[in-house]
Amino acid sequence: MGDRVNRIVIVGGGTAGWLSAAIIAAEHYNPQNQSAAESGFQLCLIESPDIPTIGVGEGTWPSMRSTLQKIGVSETDFFRECSASFKQGTQFWGWSTGNDDCYVHPFTVPHKYSDTNLAPHWQNVRDQVKFADAVCPQSQVIDNQLAPKQITTPEYAFNVNYGYHLDVGKFADFLRRHCTEKLGVVHISANMTAINAIDTGDIASISTDTQSDISGDLFIDCSGSRALLLGEHFKIPLVSRNKYLFNNSALAAQVPYQTAEDPIQSCTLSTAQSAGWIWDIGLPTRRGVGHVYASDYIAEQDAKKELLNYIAATAGEQAAADASIRNITFDPGHREKFWHRNCVAIGMSAGFIEPLEVSALVLVELSAAMIAEQLPANRQVMDLVAKRFNQKFLYRWDRIIDFLKLHYILTKRRDSEYWRANCEASSIPDSLQDLLDIWQYQVPWHRDTTQIDEMFPSASFQYVLYGMDFTTEINPLQRRADRATAEVAMALFNENAQRAGQLKAALPTNRELKILWSDNE
Ligand SMILES: Cc1cc2nc3c(=O)[nH]c(=O)nc-3n(C[C@H](O)[C@H](O)[C@H](O)COP(=O)(O)OP(=O)(O)OC[C@H]3O[C@@H](n4cnc5c(N)ncnc54)[C@H](O)[C@@H]3O)c2cc1C
């Protein structure tokens, strides 16, 4: 029993630190066993009172709903305390031609997706209806700035799938209160000053500027992009992936609504620029707007000009003049491995590629969930769990890179060096090129995803491919399976159109559902 893994120490109190603490403690803390001696399990989080969090992330996946439910928080409290709103997907403007083109990647998979692949049948009507409109009612819900549920729909349930837009600073505060008040997490406000190792190389304890040494069995590095434990102490390098994805800088601003009646968007708006893209997120009380760009292709002052032009066009000249802009730089990439000895990195310390498709917080959720589920019983099996963890997450980072890169290579834009370079063969991962070669002749389907817990389902690839006008050269009448489902497909297209009409009539706008966040106004 001497080497049981019972004492977990998290360094860092950003969203990664507090979300990890909540997920792991919710699984292992037993409120009946109030004393550490009884339960054995202890989770302590050390957070610097001086070093700020990155505090930019404002979008989540739908997975956050089940995470919040599992850690035991009320969705209404979450909405009110974190300035949260609904995110039903992303609308991409100007990515295909740069001429006001638009497509949506909604969070709801195509109608009856588990049984019928509508994509081959849509090829026959592609000139008449956009892919997402044909197969899923959510694009029309999004176009009308409607909520994904009614006021009577229970917490976490929905009519169409959703995640959240939120204020990450408030989210970390919310999670801190929940962790310390309900989940037995010990919060230490202190600066880490040293990492103390034993002969084997394992970390034994952390020294801080205010407390005696804090010892543990497993140390979670949530210290942000400096990766103080995994990077600085263990020297596990960051593997840059800038060969594939070029963005490495961001300019972030908060923009007020012009009037209290301005619509709150139901999705993230992503508008392509000359060397990057602008995100636009609608929170209940303000918008979060930012430009993520590649500094090799555009100078900061020009990127800033593009951002200010966007703010002026969407919120007025005064908002652009008043905007206070924060500059953030990052090296797109991830650690060579994430779990080394008795230390595992989660959040920015593990890596960051770029905000497109908001894959950062979902990786935090998945990492913490795997640690919670497979918490090594003792030090001997920890290396095996670590090996599994590293394999799984290296695979996931590769899939994220494939999916993000897909957004860039289908463009017809050739108006800047950035878009031209993005389409060069040398910048496309082989794994993605193989998929594209296959998809020229067959549409994506469940067979294209090899793992049961794949991050991006084949439906997501369909939305991006056909949203960007990709051509799959198939004649649905030539394949027996497609001929057999042709009639079913037509009925499903009709059902989808009817469902879209019903939802448009029944769902309130995001503003009308303001009771959810009324405490914040
Ligand atoms: C431009 C941009 C946009 C983004 N948008 C999204 C998005 O829409 N969706 C999404 O999912 N993600 C997004 N992200 C990523 C997201 O912001 C982060 O993944 C998330 O906030 C988690 O950050 P973190 O907790 O790992 O790091 P941080 O927020 O940097 O936290 C680090 C913590 O470590 C502490 N610390 C540091 N040094 C010490 C020390 N010596 N002693 C004690 N404590 C210490 C700090 O005080 C802090 O509490 C975005 C990132 C960027 C750059």
Side-chain angles (χ1 to χ4, degrees), residues 98-361:
N99 292 326
D100 232 21
D101 56 276
C102 174
Y103 76 96
V104 66
H105 172 199
F107 282 152
T108 301
V109 297
H111 191 36
K112 299 279 165 70
Y113 193 66
S114 54
D115 309 319
T116 308
N117 193 351
L118 290 174
H121 303 286
W122 171 78
Q123 311 292 329
N124 289 339
V125 291
R126 59 184 299 153
D127 295 337
Q128 295 149 42
V129 55
K130 287 184 176 183
F131 177 72
D133 289 347
V135 302
C136 172
Q138 192 157 30
S139 53
Q140 295 182 55
V141 173
I142 288 173
D143 284 344
N144 290 280
Q145 290 110 19
L146 299 177
K149 63 201 292 180
Q150 292 161 306
I151 190 66
T152 48
T153 314
E155 289 198 336
Y156 300 116
F158 59 80
N159 294 88
V160 283
N161 201 7
Y162 68 88
Y164 306 103
H165 290 136
L166 50 81
D167 179 322
V168 273
K170 290 184 180 173
F171 188 39
D173 292 345
F174 176 72
L175 289 170
R176 180 189 304 119
R177 284 194 297 279
H178 184 68
C179 282
T180 52
E181 289 166 15
K182 304 272 172 54
L183 297 174
V185 174
V186 176
H187 177 206
I188 297 175
S189 177
N191 288 296
M192 181 180 82
T193 50
I195 296 169
N196 311 305
I198 52 174
D199 293 346
T200 60
D202 276 10
I203 299 177
S205 64
I206 299 288
S207 303
T208 69
D209 55 0
T210 62
Q211 309 257 330
S212 50
D213 291 355
I214 299 150
S215 44
D217 305 312
L218 175 65
F219 292 81
I220 304 186
D221 183 349
C222 294
S223 62
S225 50
R226 280 176 61 203
L228 297 176
L229 281 68
L230 195 75
E232 288 196 6
H233 175 73
F234 279 123
K235 308 273 181 269
I236 304 297
L238 186 92
V239 181
S240 178
R241 308 302 295 266
N242 64 2
K243 175 180 170 198
Y244 305 123
L245 289 155
F246 312 149
N247 293 343
N248 60 2
S249 305
L251 298 166
Q254 300 187 353
V255 175
Y257 285 110
Q258 285 178 294
T259 74
E261 302 313 314
D262 280 6
I264 300 170
Q265 296 292 339
S266 302
C267 67
T268 301
L269 305 179
S270 164
T271 306
Q273 304 294 311
S274 65
W277 57 279
I278 286 177
W279 74 79
D280 187 345
I281 281 170
L283 298 182
T285 49
R286 63 163 171 88
R287 286 161 51 205
V289 181
H291 187 181
V292 56
Y293 64 94
S295 64
D296 285 351
Y297 295 87
I298 187 170
E300 184 184 330
Q301 72 264 28
D302 295 328
K304 192 170 168 188
K305 228 181 265 169
E306 288 185 351
L307 178 63
L308 291 175
N309 286 344
Y310 180 92
I311 295 174
T314 57
E317 296 290 344
Q318 194 55 48
D322 294 345
S324 149
I325 294 178
R326 217 176 115 204
N327 190 350
I328 301 143
T329 56
F330 53 90
D331 184 2
H334 55 77
R335 296 279 148 196
E336 189 178 87
K337 59 178 169 171
F338 313 102
W339 195 325
H340 178 72
R341 303 211 65 88
N342 63 339
C343 170
V344 54
I346 301 184
M348 299 297 281
S349 58
F352 180 68
I353 301 284
E354 67 143 293
L356 189 69
E357 298 283 4
V358 294
S359 54
L361 289 182

Side-chain angles (χ1 to χ4, degrees), residues 84-98:
S85 57
F86 300 112
K87 172 177 165 94
Q88 300 183 45
T90 304
Q91 215 170 42
F92 295 91
W93 289 88
W95 281 74
S96 189
T97 64

